[in-house]
Amino acid sequence: MYKKLYPGHTAEGMNIGIIGLPKSGKTTIFNALTGQEAEVAEYASSKVEPNVAVVDVGDTRVDRLHEMYQPKKTIYATIEFLDFVGGTAGGKSSGSEDGIFSGEGISLIKNSDALLLVLRNFANATLEQAHGAVDPTRDLENVESELILADQVIAERRVERLEADHKRGKKTSQSQAELKLMQRVVAKLEEGGGVRELELTADDATLLKGFRFLTAKPALIVLNSDESSYGKNAEVVKQLELRYPVIEFAGNFEMELSRLEPEEAEAFMADMGITESARTRLTSFAYKLLGYISFFTVGEDEVRAWTIRDGENAQQAAGTIHTDLAKGFIRAECFGYEDLLEAGSEKAVKSKGHFRLEGKEYRVKDGDILNIRFNV
Ligand SMILES: Nc1nc2c(ncn2[C@@H]2O[C@H](COP(=O)(O)OP(=O)(O)OP(=O)(O)O)[C@@H](O)[C@H]2O)c(=O)[nH]1
Ligand SMILES: [Mg+2]
């Protein structure tokens, strides 16, 4: 089923891979986030393909723009979630195809922009027999070592390949630079670190991008807690936060919530001291921590939110809409969402002098409303 979506599928926005040890509650979290009803099970299932869902990123600014422009279509930014099946815990060190990544999973995880590491923090007698007592810190170590292992296989292979080339006299300044870089990657992984910890020049970063190392991806932890202990795990959270940003969910509970009507859900949420849905909490958390921002395009036809990385310029933003817009980029007409709200209309924005023309290099800000002028 997922094959149709890959490669070259066209889901917009970011793509988050949900990974973790077997039975850590990945599918439960996936269901909570997406409102889907994928099968959740104590026992290993024969399913191999990941669950996939694309969800809207709730954004009140889009709601407001919709009211102002009354467009035919309103499109929210989206996040795609992929829920991978846990394989054998511990994994085998023979190659990247084993371990928590079963079969084809690994090549799909490589396409993810970010990883959600789900850690079990709920007691379950059946699971404990096979997977040990509750210990999120230990589990994190296991997950990390599998990610490192998968990257090691790739980096070491590349080093061997380059060395063989050099021995045969196939040696350029470029290949020498790459070998040096890959040796740094191997060394970092060997000491238990991730590729994301390396200090890289822009060229090095570009080179490494192509390898899609798992430990280069930004990662967040979901601590999947028991309903009864939810909110009382400050010690564990502190430990885990030494490694990655942490968000705590009561997975089972939130999965149930996602199936209720909003009004009904609110009463239960209040009981637990939860103010927003799992999806809203996770998406705003992920945006902030992964450095994503939104810009908007508006008009009578369509109001739409787009996702880019903080720091991207107007031309790159144009490229997320369409490659032609980046190629033929002339200028971006630009004003801020806050300016629009304050002024009340586009016309008023102009008369107040808040309407700007920006060039390629303009660094797009969260909430910018852009109209790209282009020429192809
Ligand atoms: N008490 C409790 N049980 C949970 C929670 N999350 C998951 N479980 C249970 O743990 C078992 C595994 O949950 P899944 O969501 O299928 O876990 P998974 O990580 O997707 O499992 P695999 O894909 O097979 O690796 C099921 O029996 C769930 O009901 C939780 O937050 N609290
Ligand atoms: Mg699952």
Side-chain angles (χ1 to χ4, degrees):
M1 190 271 272
Y2 62 94
K3 278 210 176 98
K4 265 186 237 141
L5 288 166
Y6 291 91
H9 75 123
T10 54
E12 316 274 350
M14 79 172 111
N15 165 326
I16 298 185
I18 304 175
I19 64 170
L21 295 183
K23 304 301 164 196
S24 49
K26 298 177 294 297
T27 303
T28 303
I29 298 294
F30 172 84
N31 286 343
L33 293 171
T34 64
Q36 290 210 353
E37 305 204 2
E39 188 197 358
V40 163
E42 264 178 9
Y43 299 98
S45 71
S46 54
K47 195 169 187 300
V48 290
E49 69 269 30
N51 299 306
V52 181
V54 176
V55 303
D56 283 348
V57 176
D59 187 338
T60 49
R61 294 173 300 182
V62 179
D63 302 335
R64 272 318 302 274
L65 292 170
H66 172 83
E67 285 162 23
M68 288 178 87
Y69 286 88
Q70 301 284 320
K72 294 188 191 109
K73 260 197 319 198
T74 298
I75 304 176
Y76 291 82
T78 57
I79 296 188
E80 182 182 42
F81 289 103
L82 281 94
D83 161 37
F84 293 94
V85 181
T88 49
K92 282 193 271 167
S93 43
S94 55
S96 57
E97 309 274 308
D98 299 312
I100 57 174
F101 315 117
S102 50
E104 286 175 86
I106 187 103
S107 62
L108 293 176
I109 297 172
K110 284 179 148 289
N111 289 332
S112 294
D113 299 316
L115 302 176
L116 210 60
L117 313 178
V118 176
L119 301 177
R120 176 166 69 92
N121 193 33
F122 57 86
N124 174 312
T126 315
L127 296 184
E128 255 142 62
Q129 278 185 9
H131 306 292
V134 173
D135 187 349
T137 317
R138 172 205 61 207
D139 290 354
L140 176 62
E141 268 169 37
N142 284 338
V143 172
E144 277 196 302
S145 58
E146 296 220 26
L147 296 174
I148 288 172
L149 194 64
D151 284 352
Q152 267 173 329
V153 171
I154 295 179
E156 280 166 10
R157 232 180 246 158
R158 189 66 195 153
V159 166
E160 278 166 27
R161 180 65 189 269
L162 287 164
E163 282 174 345
D165 281 354
H166 287 182
K167 243 180 231 153
R168 286 188 291 120
K170 255 181 80 185
K171 194 177 196 169
T172 63
S173 58
Q174 216 178 350
S175 72
Q176 277 171 305
E178 188 185 337
L179 179 58
K180 248 180 146 174
L181 176 60
M182 280 300 163
Q183 282 164 338
R184 281 179 66 204
V185 170
V186 169
K188 176 54 84 180
L189 295 168
E190 226 144 65
E191 68 182 50
V195 174
R196 69 175 85 77
E197 291 162 36
L198 288 169
E199 278 192 39
L200 301 172
T201 63
D203 282 348
D204 286 350
T206 309
L207 215 169
L208 285 191
K209 219 173 175 179
F211 290 91
R212 298 179 300 165
F213 288 115
L214 297 175
T215 63
K217 295 183 190 297
L220 309 174
I221 289 175
V222 169
L223 184 65
N224 185 17
S225 296
D226 223 60
E227 223 176 293
S228 56
S229 78
Y230 176 82
K232 301 177 197 139
N233 293 292
E235 240 352 273
V236 185
V237 169
K238 214 165 92 191
Q239 280 299 312
L240 298 171
E241 269 174 347
L242 297 173
R243 307 287 302 141
Y244 303 95
V246 179
I247 190 168
E248 187 180 19
F249 281 141
N252 248 352
F253 179 74
E254 316 231 17
M255 180 174 82
E256 301 297 333
L257 280 185
S258 72
R259 291 172 182 169
L260 300 176
E261 294 301 323
E263 306 82 54
E264 217 181 331
E266 263 167 37
F268 286 103
M269 283 159 69
D271 282 350
M272 283 284 277
I274 299 171
T275 49
E276 286 173 305
S277 70
R279 180 193 305 176
T280 307
R281 271 149 60 222
L282 184 88
T283 50
S284 49
F285 184 72
Y287 263 60
K288 205 165 67 207
L289 289 162
L290 303 176
Y292 285 94
I293 59 172
S294 300
F295 72 92
F296 308 110
T297 51
V298 296
E300 284 170 11
D301 280 338
E302 187 182 282
V303 161
R304 181 162 187 166
W306 304 86
T307 303
I308 55 171
R309 282 190 172 271
D310 192 11
E312 290 194 307
N313 63 30
Q315 188 175 30
Q316 291 167 314
T320 63
I321 302 174
H322 198 286
T323 47
D324 284 352
L325 266 63
K327 268 189 232 142
F329 185 96
I330 301 169
R331 288 226 174 289
E333 300 172 351
C334 176
F335 53 98
Y337 168 80
E338 295 297 336
D339 292 333
L340 176 67
L341 214 61
E342 196 190 306
S345 72
E346 253 185 69
K347 224 171 132 193
V349 169
K350 278 185 188 149
S351 62
K352 284 191 160 192
H354 289 154
F355 193 89
R356 295 168 278 135
L357 285 178
E358 302 285 4
K360 277 181 191 174
E361 297 300 333
Y362 168 70
R363 177 175 171 168
V364 175
K365 293 201 277 298
D366 189 41
D368 273 350
I369 297 172
L370 300 181
N371 180 33
I372 309 295
R373 289 213 210 131
F374 71 109
N375 182 0
V376 186

